[in-house]
Amino acid sequence: MKKIVILAIAAMAMTACSEKKFHVEGNISNAKDSVLYFENIGLAGYEVLDSAKLDEDGAFSFSGEKPEAPEFYRLRISDQIISLAIDSTETVTVKAQYPQMASQYEVSGSEDCQTIKTLALKQMDLQQRAMQVSRNEALTVDQVNDSVLSMIRQYKDEVKRQYIFPNPAKASSYFALFQALGNMLLFNPQSDRDDIKVFAAVATSWDANWPDSERGKNLHNIAIEGMKNVRITDADKARTIDASKVKEAGLIDIALTDNKGQMRHLTDLNGKVVLLDFHVFATNESPARILLLRELYNKYHAQGLEIYQVSLDPDEHFWKQQTAALPWISVREPNINSTTLTIYNVQSVPEFFLIDRGNNIVGRSQTIKDLEQAIKNLL
């Protein structure tokens, strides 16, 4: 009887261990005696995690510890690469044909991996079209450059609208940010104002969903640095802002005028726990929500809670009437296509984000089940 108990415990332990792992398996045909590498695509470079010498049927199976946040891997034979994303204990199955495995493969078990395949094929097509244009001897250098840049703009616009903005928290959206044409990133996070918005939208989602992940922190820093670069450039052009005064913070800033005509920066609230609330007063649900916010504010303001409420109401006079008696910071963003809404990926209201005393986003409406408890935990 004791042996049965011991065996049962051992089996349970093995099951628990296996439940914490992900698996990548499948087969690659026409690749007998080739070495298939399973590599981690890390922030510092590529790391070989495992490898397998393929036999006649090309079967392979790799596994790894479940990542705490979405992580990226690749299958590689020589220069043929299949990129993958893992965010759970999923099993991803890949079937491919060598030597065209980078473009001729099927993947199942992961929606993100399927989207990454789509994006990878689109990027390959873009590169082929760009090479065809560059080899056209009938075109001048300027004509080649203009044509290639037009292709890139169209590609980025499609990827933004169809993949990144609808699902900024997806691993495939992160993957799209770092696609390249040759050695050049398609999305420029250093100085292109529109591309920085795209990075910021994904960074905000990662801040909310995986606030402690290295990838999220790195992405956030890239967005912040890009926004700083743009501000410095604007300051140089206008010669009205000292570049040394451009603010760096652990939060992507919002700067809007409040209901008293004063410019209010979200990052000025560093040291407080902040409820960033996006709201429309001209809705039937508004009175009940304002009562809820008043209750939270009255309970916790003295302990360090502040509310920074962004109204999306188009009527400025109406907004001022509705906010005249509110005790917290009330600002207004009338442009639904604004940078603010894009960066924070606000697609519906009400929407809120919770920010800690260090100006770091710790969650948003979709990830916080008990708002009051979450506020108390930060205070």
Side-chain angles (χ1 to χ4, degrees), residues 44-100:
Y46 304 107
E47 178 187 2
V48 176
L49 302 179
D50 203 349
S51 64
K53 187 174 182 178
L54 301 179
D55 56 18
E56 188 70 37
D57 67 0
F60 65 88
S61 180
F62 301 117
S63 64
E65 294 296 324
K66 171 187 174 297
E68 295 301 318
E71 191 53 71
F72 297 87
Y73 303 88
R74 68 182 192 177
L75 298 170
R76 180 178 65 84
I77 298 178
S78 186
D79 62 348
Q80 289 291 299
I81 294 168
I82 296 174
S83 297
L84 305 169
I86 302 291
D87 65 0
S88 67
T89 56
E90 59 204 328
T91 295
V92 177
T93 302
V94 176
K95 295 182 179 180
Q97 178 178 324
Y98 192 74
Q100 298 85 22

Side-chain angles (χ1 to χ4, degrees), residues 79-83 95-106 117-118 120-122 124-125 128:
D79 62 348
Q80 289 291 299
I81 294 168
I82 296 174
S83 297
K95 295 182 179 180
Q97 178 178 324
Y98 192 74
Q100 298 85 22
M101 65 180 252
S103 57
Q104 296 182 13
Y105 74 93
E106 297 178 0
K117 174 190 174 182
T118 300
L121 294 179
K122 286 181 176 294
M124 290 179 194
D125 176 68
Q128 290 174 357

Side-chain angles (χ1 to χ4, degrees), residues 163-165 167-178 195-210 215-216 219-220 223 252 342-345 364:
Y163 297 94
I164 298 179
F165 285 152
N167 298 292
K170 291 284 189 180
S172 52
S173 295
Y174 182 106
F175 175 85
L177 293 180
F178 295 97
D195 289 358
I196 293 168
K197 293 179 187 177
V198 183
F199 268 79
V202 179
T204 300
S205 291
W206 278 62
D207 281 345
N209 289 281
W210 306 283
R215 286 190 183 276
L219 193 61
H220 184 99
I252 299 171
T342 300
I343 288 174
Y344 282 86
N345 192 38
R364 66 186 299 170

Side-chain angles (χ1 to χ4, degrees), residues 26 34 57 97 108 235 240 263 272 304 307 363 379:
S34 297
D57 67 0
Q97 178 178 324
S108 59
T240 58
M263 178 62 68
K272 295 181 179 293
I307 297 177
L379 292 172

Side-chain angles (χ1 to χ4, degrees), residues 302-314:
Q303 300 177 41
L305 173 67
E306 186 56 81
I307 297 177
Y308 187 102
Q309 188 170 55
V310 181
S311 164
L312 307 181
D313 290 271

Side-chain angles (χ1 to χ4, degrees), residues 17-311:
C17 183
S18 65
E19 286 176 353
K20 296 179 181 179
K21 289 183 176 292
F22 67 86
H23 303 273
V24 177
E25 58 189 31
N27 70 283
I28 300 177
S29 61
N30 299 334
K32 183 181 179 181
D33 295 331
S34 297
V35 177
L36 175 67
Y37 293 95
F38 181 56
E39 300 173 331
N40 173 236
I41 308 174
L43 293 176
Y46 304 107
E47 178 187 2
V48 176
L49 302 179
D50 203 349
S51 64
K53 187 174 182 178
L54 301 179
D55 56 18
E56 188 70 37
D57 67 0
F60 65 88
S61 180
F62 301 117
S63 64
E65 294 296 324
K66 171 187 174 297
E68 295 301 318
E71 191 53 71
F72 297 87
Y73 303 88
R74 68 182 192 177
L75 298 170
R76 180 178 65 84
I77 298 178
S78 186
D79 62 348
Q80 289 291 299
I81 294 168
I82 296 174
S83 297
L84 305 169
I86 302 291
D87 65 0
S88 67
T89 56
E90 59 204 328
T91 295
V92 177
T93 302
V94 176
K95 295 182 179 180
Q97 178 178 324
Y98 192 74
Q100 298 85 22
M101 65 180 252
S103 57
Q104 296 182 13
Y105 74 93
E106 297 178 0
V107 60
S108 59
S110 167
E111 182 181 341
D112 258 325
C113 289
Q114 292 172 344
T115 304
I116 285 174
K117 174 190 174 182
T118 300
L119 290 168
L121 294 179
K122 286 181 176 294
Q123 186 271 337
M124 290 179 194
D125 176 68
L126 173 66
Q127 185 158 327
Q128 290 174 357
R129 289 187 289 116
M131 290 177 64
Q132 289 175 353
V133 170
S134 66
R135 291 170 181 165
N136 189 340
E137 297 181 356
L139 299 177
T140 66
V141 173
D142 288 341
Q143 288 173 329
V144 169
N145 288 338
D146 289 344
S147 181
V148 171
L149 288 175
S150 176
M151 291 180 189
I152 292 174
R153 283 194 295 270
Q154 292 175 9
Y155 180 87
K156 287 161 56 176
D157 183 62
E158 177 186 356
V159 170
K160 284 189 296 186
R161 288 186 295 101
Q162 296 188 16
Y163 297 94
I164 298 179
F165 285 152
N167 298 292
K170 291 284 189 180
S172 52
S173 295
Y174 182 106
F175 175 85
L177 293 180
F178 295 97
Q179 288 190 293
L181 189 63
N183 295 322
M184 180 189 73
L185 284 178
L186 294 174
F187 289 96
N188 172 12
Q190 295 297 316
S191 57
D192 188 297
R193 192 184 303 272
D194 290 333
D195 289 358
I196 293 168
K197 293 179 187 177
V198 183
F199 268 79
V202 179
T204 300
S205 291
W206 278 62
D207 281 345
N209 289 281
W210 306 283
D212 297 323
S213 73
E214 289 301 314
R215 286 190 183 276
K217 292 176 182 177
N218 181 65
L219 193 61
H220 184 99
N221 290 337
I222 290 173
I224 290 290
E225 187 64 25
M227 296 180 75
K228 179 183 176 183
N229 291 342
V230 169
R231 289 173 187 162
I232 291 174
T233 300
D234 290 346
D236 289 340
K237 290 179 179 178
R239 295 188 178 182
T240 58
I241 304 175
D242 185 348
S244 66
K245 295 181 180 178
V246 175
K247 181 177 296 185
E248 279 190 89
L251 182 75
I252 299 171
D253 194 21
I254 297 176
L256 293 169
T257 304
D258 69 11
N259 52 358
K260 299 177 179 61
Q262 180 181 353
M263 178 62 68
R264 306 302 293 264
H265 287 265
L266 179 61
T267 50
D268 286 343
L269 301 177
N270 186 33
K272 295 181 179 293
V273 173
V274 180
L275 179 63
L276 170 59
D277 186 69
F278 292 89
H279 187 82
V280 174
F281 286 90
T283 62
N284 295 331
E285 297 79 14
S286 177
R289 182 164 180 79
I290 294 301
L291 284 176
L292 171 64
L293 294 183
R294 275 187 177 275
E295 182 178 354
L296 291 172
Y297 188 88
N298 292 339
K299 279 186 179 181
Y300 302 110
H301 176 65
Q303 300 177 41
L305 173 67
E306 186 56 81
I307 297 177
Y308 187 102
Q309 188 170 55
V310 181
S311 164

